[in-house]
Structures are given as structure tokens and as C-alpha cells.
């Protein structure tokens, strides 16, 4: 079916990733291989075409001159998804290149698997497909990028979909693959073809007004891609992710940068899992985040100062990550709406930053079982809303102010 679709479109879509990850043909992101003559990636002259059988990526990044000219790029949905993610700083170009497993075998990165899944496996439900077919038949668009995907109307998304919606579904898929979604302890309906990502377990969405710019339009002028709050552009209403709650679900791996690109996310609850690595620096992009609950995992490194830019944050819980150390960033004191700060059982050192005196709305402060030291500051008495304070298991001295 994939090879037939590629031949029908005349753009080689089915061959785009045909031999990438040929040893792992999972139905959740790794496309099927074809060992026949029609799937060998040759151009008829014995040379490999743009499917790049060695696993390398085709050159799809345009020059600045091409971007500014408003020329449609590229002519297949797979390339369109990849290019948009790179142009809008959702993904790094290097993340679409094969990663090495034990230095010998090759496997696909989470970004590659997510892109492949969108193209090869994410099928539109029949009722929506019928509506899309009617729309395509009445659409006389001349844009090459749009016309090239009309033959793929069974895809859940296409280049006519609002770009924000494409990015959301892609980022959700990357998160699934990066955290070993196949091993989650949950009623896993994630990445079921045709199932709205807002109906995945642990996801909550709301109807949100977003720019109606399509993926095709975004590719024409990527440097003028509108912000969700831009009131000067046409808008549409879509279901957008506002909460991700997957505690105690056996999530592993690392948090991908793509997770930090949900512009409307208010709550990220991933406590009591086995997530490793550092908390991404670009967490500062989640400017609507109110609750960040990452406690009881296997994170490493220091608390990133970028958390201090999440101005709407009310609850910050990073405790029981014993390999997270360093000092408490001064930037935490910029979280003026913070009501609960949970940082127990970590490897924090140093004293209490004086900037914490700015947290006038703080009700709970738990810093027990760390390597903190120094005198208990008098300004703790100025936190008039504080209801619970736990500094035990550290090396503080002095008296707690009244």
C-alpha cells in the first residue's frame, strides 16, 4: 500500500524513509521495508535517490533567499513536517538523523519515528476522510505542496491542517517514543491511528483559538510564523493540550525538547516514573505552566535557572530526585505566584537564596533531606502565607523566626 501511494503521487513519498530502520518495522513509527525491485531506492541509473538508503537525511533545508521568496517547500508531507519542526525551533535538524545503538546497529531517533508515524500509519477515521475527500474535490488550489498531498486524503493530518495542530501531534508522538511508550504501565491508546491526541490517556485539552495558518502556508513564510497570541491574523478553534498527567506509569528515557513546545500547557504531572537526564533548558517556553510535578524520577544535573521564567507557576515539585544537585537558583524567587515548593531528598547544597523572600504567596516550603547549610534567615518570617515549613535533614543553624 505504501509503495502504491508513492507511485500514485509521483513524489516518492513511500520511499522517503523506506530503508531507514529496516531491521525494526514497528507499526508505531518504523515504516515497512520493500525488498523488491520497485523499492530499492535507485533512480534507474544505479544511483540512490533522495530516500538515502544509508540512513542519512535528504537535503531539505532551504536557503534564506528561498524562504523569503515564499516558494513552496518541499513537495511531500514527510519533508514538510520535518522542515516545519526545524524552522520553528521545535526540533533540531540533527535529531532527524539516525542514532547509533552500541556503536554497531542503527535505530531511529524519537523524532524520526514520530515523523514516520505521522506519514505512514496515522490514518484519518472514515467519517472524517469522507469529509476531507469532498473538500479536496471542491478545492481548486494550485499550490504544488497542497496538490502533492491530495492523493493522501486518508492521512489524519496534511499540509492543509493548521500548523499548530500538526506540531502538537508530532510533539506528542516524540514524547511517546522518547519515554519508551511501548513500556508504559497504562491503558495505552497513544498513537492509535486516527485517534485524536486529546483523547489519549493522561491528556486533557480545551478548545483554544489559534492562528489558522496551515502547514503549507507556514512553509512559505516560516520567519513570519505567528504567535498564538497574535491578534492580527486569521484564527480558528482547535482542541489543544493543556494538561499531561502520567504519574506512576513507568515512563523511562528522557524528556525531549519537543515536550516544551506545547504553548497552552498548564500542568505537567510525571511524578513517580523512571525518567532520566536533565530537565530541558527550554522548559522556559511553557509560559502558561502552573504546575510542574517531576518528583520521584531519576533526573540528573542541577535545577535549571530557566524554571524561574515560568511566571504563572503555582506548584513546583522536583523532590526525590537524589541525583539533582547544585544550589537552589536565585531565579526561583521570580515565581511570584508560587504557592508550593517541594525540593526534598535531593542533593542540593548551599544556603537559602535571599530571592525566596519574594514568594509572598508561598504556603508550603519543603527542603528536607538535602545538603543545605547556613543560618536560618530572618526573612522567613515575612512569608505571612506560609503554612508548612520543613528544613530537617540539613545543616542549618539558628532559630526559626516567628
Amino acid at each position: 500500500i505504501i509503495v502504491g501511494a508513492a507511485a500514485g503521487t509521483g513524489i516518492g513519498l513511500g520511499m522517503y524513509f523506506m530503508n531507514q530502520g529496516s531491521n525494526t518495522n514497528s507499526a508505531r513509527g518504523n515504516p515497512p521495508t520493500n525488498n523488491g525491485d520497485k523499492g530499492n531506492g535507485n533512480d534507474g541509473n544505479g544511483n540512490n535517490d533522495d530516500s538515502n538508503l544509508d540512513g542519512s537525511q535528504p537535503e531539505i533545508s532551504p536557503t534564506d533567499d528561498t524562504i523569503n521568496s515564499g516558494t513552496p517547500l518541499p513537495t511531500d508531507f514527510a519533508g514538510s513536517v520535518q522542515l516545519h519542526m526545524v524552522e520553528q525551533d521545535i526540533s533540531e535538524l540533527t535529531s532527524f538523523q539516525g542514532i547509533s545503538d552500541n556503536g554497531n546497529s542503527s535505530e531511529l531517533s524519537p523524532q524520526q519515528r514520530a515523523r514516520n508515524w505521522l506519514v505512514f500509519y496515522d490514518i484519518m477515521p472514515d467519517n472524517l476522510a469522507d469529509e476531507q475527500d469532498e473538500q479536496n474535490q471542491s478545492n481548486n488550489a494550485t499550490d504544488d505542496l497542497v496538490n502533492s498531498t491530495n492523493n493522501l486524503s486518508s492521512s489524519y493530518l496534511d499540509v492543509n491542517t493548521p500548523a499548530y495542530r500538526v506540531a502538537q501531534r508530532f510533539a506528542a508522538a516524540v514524547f511517546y517514543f522518547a519515554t519508551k511508550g511501548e513500556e508504559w504501565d497504562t491503558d495505552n491508546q497513544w498513537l492509535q491511528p486516527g485517534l485524536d491526541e486529546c483523547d489519549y490517556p493522561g491528556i486533557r485539552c480545551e478548545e483554544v483559538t489559534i492562528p489558522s495558518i496551515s502547514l503549507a502556508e507556514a512553509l512559505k513564510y516560516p520567519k513570519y510564523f505567528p504567535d498564538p497570541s497574535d491578534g492580527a491574523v486569521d484564527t480558528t478553534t482547535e482542541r489543544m493540550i493543556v494538561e499531561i498527567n502520567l504519574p506512576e506509569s513507568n515512563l523511562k528515557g528522557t524528556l525531549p525538547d519537543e515536550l516544551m513546545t506545547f504553548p497552552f500547557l498548564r500542568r505537567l504531572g510525571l511524578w513517580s516514573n523512571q525518567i532520566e537526564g536533565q530537565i530541558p533548558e527550554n522548559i522556559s517556553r511553557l509560559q502558561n505552566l502552573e504546575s510542574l510535578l517531576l518528583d520521584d524520577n531519576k533526573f540528573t544535573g542541577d535545577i535549571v535557572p530557566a524554571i524561574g521564567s515560568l511566571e504563572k507557576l503555582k506548584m513546583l515539585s522536583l523532590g526525590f530526585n537524589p541525583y539533582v544537585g547544585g544550589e537552589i537558583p536565585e531565579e526561583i524567587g521570580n515565581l511570584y505566584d508560587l504557592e508550593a515548593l517541594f525540593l526534598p531528598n535531593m542533593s542540593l547544597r548551599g544556603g537559602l537564596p535571599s530571592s525566596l523572600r519574594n514568594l509572598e504567596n508561598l504556603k508550603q516550603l519543603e527542603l528536607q533531606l538535602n545538603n543545605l547549610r547556613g543560618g536560618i534567615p530572618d526573612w522567613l518570617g515575612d512569608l505571612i502565607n506560609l503554612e508548612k515549613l520543613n528544613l530537617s535533614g540539613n545543616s542549618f543553624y539558628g532559630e526559626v523566626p516567628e
Side-chain angles (χ1 to χ4, degrees):
I1 295 174
I2 297 300
V3 173
T9 59
I11 58 173
L13 177 58
M15 306 309 301
Y16 193 82
F17 316 105
M18 191 60 70
N19 283 323
Q20 293 184 29
S22 59
N23 295 326
T24 54
N25 297 326
S26 167
R28 293 194 171 210
N30 293 341
T33 58
N34 186 330
N35 296 322
D37 293 338
K38 293 184 178 181
N40 61 9
N42 291 334
D43 61 4
N45 297 318
N47 300 317
N48 286 341
D49 62 14
D50 64 356
S51 57
N52 289 0
L53 303 186
D54 62 357
S56 64
Q57 293 302 306
E59 295 292 336
I60 63 169
S61 297
T63 64
D64 286 344
D65 291 339
T66 305
I67 293 175
N68 293 331
S69 69
T71 303
L73 291 165
T75 57
D76 59 274
F77 183 48
S80 300
V81 170
Q82 177 171 321
L83 180 57
H84 179 62
M85 302 309 153
V86 173
E87 290 290 354
Q88 300 306 322
D89 295 325
I90 295 172
S91 300
E92 296 288 340
L93 180 60
T94 55
S95 66
F96 290 101
Q97 298 170 351
I99 57 179
S100 176
D101 181 22
N102 298 325
N104 296 316
S105 61
S106 178
E107 63 181 22
L108 300 183
S109 68
Q111 292 78 10
Q112 285 177 307
R113 297 182 70 188
R115 176 196 59 193
N116 296 357
W117 174 77
L118 282 174
V119 175
F120 292 106
Y121 300 104
D122 194 14
I123 305 301
M124 183 181 294
D126 291 340
N127 60 327
L128 294 180
D130 291 340
E131 295 178 5
Q132 184 66 45
D133 287 340
E134 293 178 2
Q135 178 181 351
N136 287 337
Q137 290 173 4
S138 62
N139 184 4
N140 294 320
T142 58
D143 190 296
D144 291 338
L145 182 58
V146 175
N147 289 338
S148 68
T149 58
N150 280 346
N151 291 328
L152 299 176
S153 60
S154 61
S155 299
Y156 188 77
L157 304 178
D158 61 27
V159 294
N160 295 304
T161 305
Y164 274 97
R165 191 56 212 294
V166 176
Q168 172 175 272
R169 196 161 177 84
F170 170 81
V174 173
F175 170 65
Y176 175 87
F177 290 121
T179 56
K180 315 297 181 184
E182 300 93 335
E183 303 177 23
W184 290 357
D185 291 338
T186 183
D187 181 15
N188 196 354
Q189 297 179 358
W190 278 61
L191 303 198
Q192 294 297 320
L195 180 65
D196 193 311
E197 65 271 17
C198 291
D199 296 325
Y200 293 168
I203 295 292
R204 192 173 78 82
C205 292
E206 292 181 358
E207 294 281 349
V208 177
T209 300
I210 61 172
S212 60
I213 182 172
S214 69
L215 178 59
E217 293 168 332
L219 288 174
K220 288 183 179 181
Y221 302 102
K223 292 189 175 181
Y224 301 98
F225 189 65
D227 185 86
S229 60
D230 190 346
V233 297
D234 292 336
T235 59
T236 186
T237 300
E238 292 279 345
R239 297 175 71 194
M240 303 299 291
I241 295 175
V242 297
E243 291 188 7
I244 300 177
N245 294 295
L246 289 169
E248 301 176 338
S249 298
N250 197 38
L251 275 66
K252 300 178 181 179
T254 59
L255 293 184
D257 286 342
E258 288 79 2
L259 181 62
M260 308 306 159
T261 59
F262 293 117
F264 307 101
L265 193 67
R266 296 200 298 265
R267 178 183 172 91
L268 180 59
L270 303 176
W271 68 91
S272 297
N273 283 291
Q274 301 182 56
I275 305 171
E276 301 175 333
Q278 295 186 335
I279 299 173
E281 186 73 31
N282 70 343
I283 195 171
S284 59
R285 300 179 70 169
L286 298 177
Q287 283 299 301
N288 286 303
L289 200 63
E290 297 177 0
S291 296
L292 179 59
L293 313 174
L294 301 179
D295 45 300
D296 192 19
N297 278 282
K298 296 181 179 180
F299 288 110
T300 56
D302 297 347
I303 299 177
V304 293
I307 289 180
S309 65
L310 303 176
E311 297 180 354
K312 296 183 179 180
L313 204 62
K314 295 182 179 180
M315 180 177 292
L316 175 59
S317 184
L318 304 177
F320 297 94
N321 282 289
Y323 305 111
V324 174
E327 298 184 354
I328 300 175
E330 286 280 349
E331 289 81 357
I332 298 294
N334 297 330
L335 304 176
Y336 301 114
D337 291 337
L338 199 65
E339 298 178 359
L341 179 59
F342 297 102
L343 304 176
N345 199 5
M346 302 173 73
S347 297
L348 300 176
R349 62 180 185 273
L352 296 181
S354 59
S355 63
L356 295 186
R357 69 193 309 165
N358 300 328
L359 306 181
E360 298 179 354
N361 293 305
L362 200 63
K363 297 179 180 179
Q364 294 178 271
L365 178 58
E366 299 195 27
L367 304 175
Q368 66 269 26
L369 302 176
N370 279 288
N371 298 315
L372 299 170
R373 61 182 62 248
I376 298 177
D378 292 338
W379 51 257
L380 280 176
D382 298 332
L383 302 179
I384 59 176
N385 290 305
L386 196 62
E387 299 173 356
K388 185 175 182 179
L389 173 65
N390 193 338
L391 303 177
S392 63
N394 288 287
S395 298
F396 290 117
Y397 60 86
E399 297 181 357
V400 177
E402 297 182 1

